[in-house]
């Protein structure tokens, strides 16, 4: 596996792959790689000839008081995980390489960037779409893979790629979970043992919502109220939101309707903020015979 730190070198390498007719798969990450990232790398591997994994803890997507400084970083371990998972190139630039002094260009998808996660993390998605647009320009991918755990991020990146005519297919890979249901996240390491146990309530509440909707409940208010009860029993420090959404528009819904709905949640245990979601398929009501 090749490790590249310079933008110009990465662009030249990507260009040479393209000239050789190779299909490039991109997996952007902030490092601290876990099995969730491994599944993204494998999804890219299955769809491309060369896989570029990027590791960059992107300062523009962290707000003041968030965890930019303490975000877990372990470049040596990450190199091993990326190579083992099937990466051909690891692009690991320094901050000054990506944001030289005087940098002033940002990419922002309006509206959906400011709801849910965006309401609690102003400018977060502006940072995400800016870095992802830059990574597309630097690594010239044919396909880029993101995780469903960050459902709003995946929605916004797809929208950005479409509206800015990036010639790249966006793949969204399923959430990878621990045996007890906790979605894998680099931030899970912040949880102490007690918080870690209580954090399983996120998945429990989503499964509860799924069973309710599958058994015919159509009121989003009722389903979200039930989820709120389950989450509250786990004594979170805060429930930021429980939202029933249309996966097509990311707008909130009052009634569950076919073909599917997305339920997204953000919950804090201590100072750790966790997000999770579920897509629930909804079938047409059967006509009475
Ligand atoms: O999901 C992440 O790890 C980050 O938001 C991303 C897409 C790598 C951009 O920094």
């Amino acid at each position: 596996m090749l490790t590249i730190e310079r933008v110009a070198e990465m662009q030249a390498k990507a260009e040479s792959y393209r000239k050789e007719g190779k299909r490039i798969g991109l997996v952007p990450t902030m490092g601290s790689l876990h099995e969730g990232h491994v599944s993204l790398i494998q999804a890219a591997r299955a769809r491309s000839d060369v896989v570029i994994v990027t590791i960059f803890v992107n300062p523009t997507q962290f707000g003041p008081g968030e965890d930019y400084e303490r975000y877990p970083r372990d470049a040596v371990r990450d190199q091993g995980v990326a190579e083992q998972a099937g990466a051909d190139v690891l692009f690991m630039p320094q901050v000054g390489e990506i944001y030289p002094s005087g940098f002033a260009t940002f990419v922002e998808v309006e509206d959906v960037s400011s709801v849910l996660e965006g309401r609690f993390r102003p400018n977060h998605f502006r940072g995400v779409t800016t870095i992802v647009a830059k990574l597309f320009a630097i690594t010239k991918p044919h396909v880029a893979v993101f995780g469903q755990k960050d459902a709003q991020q995946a929605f916004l990146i797809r929208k950005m790629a479409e509206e800015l005519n990036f010639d790249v297919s966006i793949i969204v890979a399923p959430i990878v979970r621990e045996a007890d249901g906790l979605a894998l996240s680099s931030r899970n390491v912040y949880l102490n043992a007690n918080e870690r146990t209580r954090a399983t309530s996120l998945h429990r509440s989503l499964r509860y919502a799924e069973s309710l909707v599958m058994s015919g409940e159509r009121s989003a208010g009722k389903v979200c109220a039930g989820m709120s009860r389950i989450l509250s029993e786990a004594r979170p420090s805060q429930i930021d939101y429980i939202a029933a959404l249309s996966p097509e528009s990311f707008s909130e819904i009052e009634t569950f309707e076919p073909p599917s709905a997305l339920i997204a949640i953000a919950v804090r245990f201590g100072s750790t903020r966790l997000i999770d979601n579920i897509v629930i398929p909804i079938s047409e009501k059967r006509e009475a015979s």
Side-chain angles (χ1 to χ4, degrees), residues 24-279:
I24 302 174
L26 169 68
V27 182
T29 82
M30 297 207 298
S32 189
L33 302 181
H34 51 63
E35 283 304 312
H37 296 112
V38 168
S39 76
L40 305 185
I41 297 170
Q42 288 167 344
R45 180 82 273 159
R47 293 166 172 83
S48 33
D49 302 309
V50 285
V51 175
I52 301 174
V53 173
T54 68
I55 296 187
F56 181 65
V57 184
N58 174 36
T60 63
Q61 69 186 77
F62 289 79
E66 289 189 350
D67 56 345
Y68 175 66
E69 299 298 340
R70 71 169 182 141
Y71 195 84
R73 292 164 171 87
D74 189 343
V76 174
R77 188 187 152 276
D78 283 348
Q79 277 172 319
V81 176
E83 183 160 28
Q84 188 73 29
D88 299 291
V89 179
L90 192 57
F91 177 55
M92 299 177 68
Q94 297 295 312
V95 173
E97 184 73 5
I98 294 293
Y99 299 117
S101 83
F103 184 90
T105 305
F106 290 88
V107 177
E108 183 159 13
V109 179
E110 292 185 348
D111 301 333
V112 175
S113 285
S114 54
V115 300
L116 302 169
E117 284 302 286
R119 194 156 78 79
F120 290 89
R121 307 185 68 191
N123 288 329
H124 167 67
F125 287 122
R126 182 176 95 134
V128 170
T129 41
T130 299
I131 187 63
V132 172
K134 281 175 72 72
L135 292 172
F136 285 172
I138 295 166
T139 64
K140 309 174 194 281
H142 297 85
V143 52
V145 186
F146 298 87
Q148 170 65 20
K149 190 174 91 59
D150 295 295
Q152 192 174 1
Q153 166 174 286
F155 176 91
L156 287 165
I157 288 169
R158 202 189 278 286
K159 190 164 167 66
M160 173 194 76
E162 203 179 295
E163 294 183 357
L164 293 184
N165 307 103
F166 281 109
D167 194 8
V168 51
S169 328
I170 306 297
I171 304 294
V172 181
I175 299 176
V176 179
R177 298 181 180 280
E178 302 277 9
D180 63 8
L182 183 68
L184 295 194
S185 161
S186 304
R187 291 190 167 98
N188 290 351
V189 296
Y190 300 151
L191 297 165
N192 65 32
N194 182 278
E195 290 163 350
R196 168 68 187 76
T197 307
R198 284 147 57 207
T200 57
S201 57
L202 274 81
H203 186 235
R204 268 203 313 285
S205 73
L206 292 168
R207 292 297 302 273
Y208 165 82
E210 181 184 49
S211 65
L212 225 54
V213 176
M214 294 298 223
S215 61
E217 180 57 65
R218 291 291 174 262
S219 157
K222 280 189 191 160
V223 170
C224 292
M227 293 177 69
S228 177
R229 274 195 301 279
I230 292 174
L231 290 166
S232 300
E233 276 163 22
R235 292 173 290 105
S237 36
Q238 191 171 311
I239 299 175
D240 281 353
Y241 59 80
I242 302 171
L245 305 156
S246 151
E248 281 78 41
S249 63
F250 239 81
S251 50
E252 293 210 30
I253 54 171
E254 287 179 5
T255 309
F256 290 104
E257 277 166 18
S260 64
L262 172 75
I263 300 185
I265 55 180
V267 183
R268 295 175 202 239
F269 286 93
S271 59
T272 308
R273 191 165 179 282
L274 301 173
I275 59 172
D276 203 344
N277 68 82
I278 193 167
V279 177

